[in-house]
Amino acid sequence: MLEDRYYMRQSPFDGRRSATVTLLIVNVVCFLLQWVLYRFTAHDLDRYLALSLWGMQHGYLWQLLTYQFMHAGLLHLLFNCWAIYVFGRDVEDALGLKRFLVLYLASGILGGMFQILMGVLIGGGFGGAVVGASAAAFGLAAAFAVLFPDRLLLLFFIIPMRAKYLLLICGVLALLGILSPGDNIAHAAHLGGMVFGVFFIRYAMHWDWTWSRTARTRPAKPMVRVIPGRGSTWNRAKPVITDDLPPEEFLSKEVDPILDKISAHGIQSLTERERRILEAARERMARR
């Protein structure tokens, strides 16, 4: 449907349930629960829930998920929640709920796997217990930089910097941290999360997540319907006339080909007339 496309949706904070806010709440609740268990019980949470090479060797595969919702302290939690909030809002708006959650969780999982791989290859601190949502947060930051490369951000809340350059700096710092370990920061997990974030936006987000045998045998719909012009007016912008078409016919004849074009080539490939058609469609939806 038209409203499922990110370029036709309003902000994820316009009254609908937001996955970004839900993730923030879950992280805070898990941190409070973690603190209570540390304080009042003798359970060795890190042994079974934090990510470690020892845990992977003993088959504790769930650690790839559980470590993402544990934190080493309040500042660690606040930093990760801040990153999730800053980058998650626009990324969720662009991807939609399902793809956003896949990006978030898979960034954490792939980041954790990369950390463990470094533990196998290099050893040392890379195989020790790791906690935190940092890998997932860096995955969101990388996705944000690919989706909005020229968006200005404030580094350290002071220095304005475009998102693509901030991603480059983070990648370089993660590489340096891997080459010179010893600061108790999971640089390999950060780098793994960033790599997956870039991969997801470049490739995986365009996959058909409901792909099936039926879809495979269905003939492809033409991307764009071209209506030939007449005389010397062929290159003039055609007026956008929407009110004389029933809603379903307007969507199928005018809007669907444009949505297919965006899926294949990106929103930047649209002509001025196609952008006006999308705007007209948005206004129609608002009048319902």
Side-chain angles (χ1 to χ4, degrees):
M1 293 299 292
L2 182 64
E3 54 268 27
D4 293 330
R5 309 297 181 108
Y6 77 86
Y7 30 78
M8 297 301 294
R9 288 196 301 267
Q10 301 295 327
S11 167
F13 298 90
D14 59 359
R16 297 184 292 111
R17 179 180 298 176
S18 165
T20 301
V21 172
T22 301
L23 285 172
L24 295 176
I25 295 172
V26 169
N27 274 287
V28 171
V29 170
C30 287
F31 178 74
L32 293 176
L33 180 61
Q34 176 188 341
W35 181 83
V36 169
L37 291 176
Y38 278 153
R39 177 84 174 177
F40 299 105
T41 72
H43 294 298
D44 190 355
L45 297 182
D46 289 348
R47 182 181 180 89
Y48 296 104
L49 299 181
L51 178 65
S52 66
L53 179 57
W54 180 89
M56 291 293 100
Q57 291 171 337
H58 285 76
Y60 300 163
L61 299 182
W62 61 81
Q63 290 181 350
L64 289 168
L65 182 63
T66 56
Y67 91 99
Q68 302 181 46
F69 298 96
M70 300 178 67
H71 287 85
L74 182 59
L75 287 179
H76 190 203
L77 172 70
L78 291 176
F79 176 81
N80 284 333
C81 286
W82 171 80
I84 292 169
Y85 177 76
V86 168
F87 299 110
R89 295 172 299 164
D90 288 326
V91 172
E92 180 185 354
D93 197 23
L95 302 186
L97 175 63
K98 181 167 67 173
R99 286 179 172 84
F100 173 78
L101 290 177
V102 169
L103 167 65
Y104 180 89
L105 295 174
S107 294
I109 291 173
L110 269 294
M113 292 175 64
F114 194 62
Q115 181 77 16
I116 294 301
L117 177 62
M118 291 297 101
V120 173
L121 298 178
I122 301 176
F126 289 104
V130 176
V131 295
S134 301
F138 274 100
L140 294 181
F144 182 95
V146 177
L147 288 167
F148 315 106
D150 294 316
R151 184 79 61 84
L152 281 176
L153 301 169
L154 290 179
L155 183 62
F156 304 121
F157 303 99
I158 299 174
I159 306 171
M161 179 174 295
R162 298 193 185 279
K164 56 186 177 183
Y165 299 129
L166 180 61
L167 176 62
L168 180 62
I169 290 175
C170 290
V172 170
L173 290 177
L175 282 173
L176 292 176
I178 293 173
L179 296 175
S180 302
D183 54 4
N184 294 322
I185 297 177
H187 293 288
H190 296 175
L191 183 62
M194 283 186 277
V195 169
F196 182 79
V198 172
F199 167 80
F200 189 86
I201 300 302
R202 291 293 189 190
Y203 303 103
M205 70 171 286
H206 301 295
W207 295 345
D208 184 357
W209 294 80
T210 59
W211 188 84
S212 64
R213 185 187 183 113
T214 303
R216 177 174 45 181
T217 58
R218 189 166 46 211
K221 187 164 52 176
M223 258 195 339
V224 184
R225 296 183 180 93
V226 179
I227 303 175
R230 291 182 294 178
S232 60
T233 63
W234 67 272
N235 58 346
R236 289 184 190 168
K238 300 177 179 63
V240 179
I241 302 174
T242 65
D243 292 334
D244 59 342
L245 293 175
E248 294 302 323
E249 185 178 354
F250 172 64
L251 289 176
S252 62
K253 288 186 176 181
E254 295 287 354
V255 179
D256 281 351
I258 297 175
L259 301 184
D260 291 337
K261 182 178 180 181
I262 295 175
S263 296
H265 301 290
I267 197 169
Q268 70 277 1
S269 65
L270 297 186
T271 64
E272 184 62 30
R273 180 177 182 273
E274 290 166 340
R275 292 175 185 272
R276 292 203 304 273
I277 290 176
L278 285 183
E279 186 59 34
R282 185 195 295 273
E283 293 175 358
R284 267 203 176 195
M285 290 167 52
R287 292 199 301 265
R288 288 185 180 181

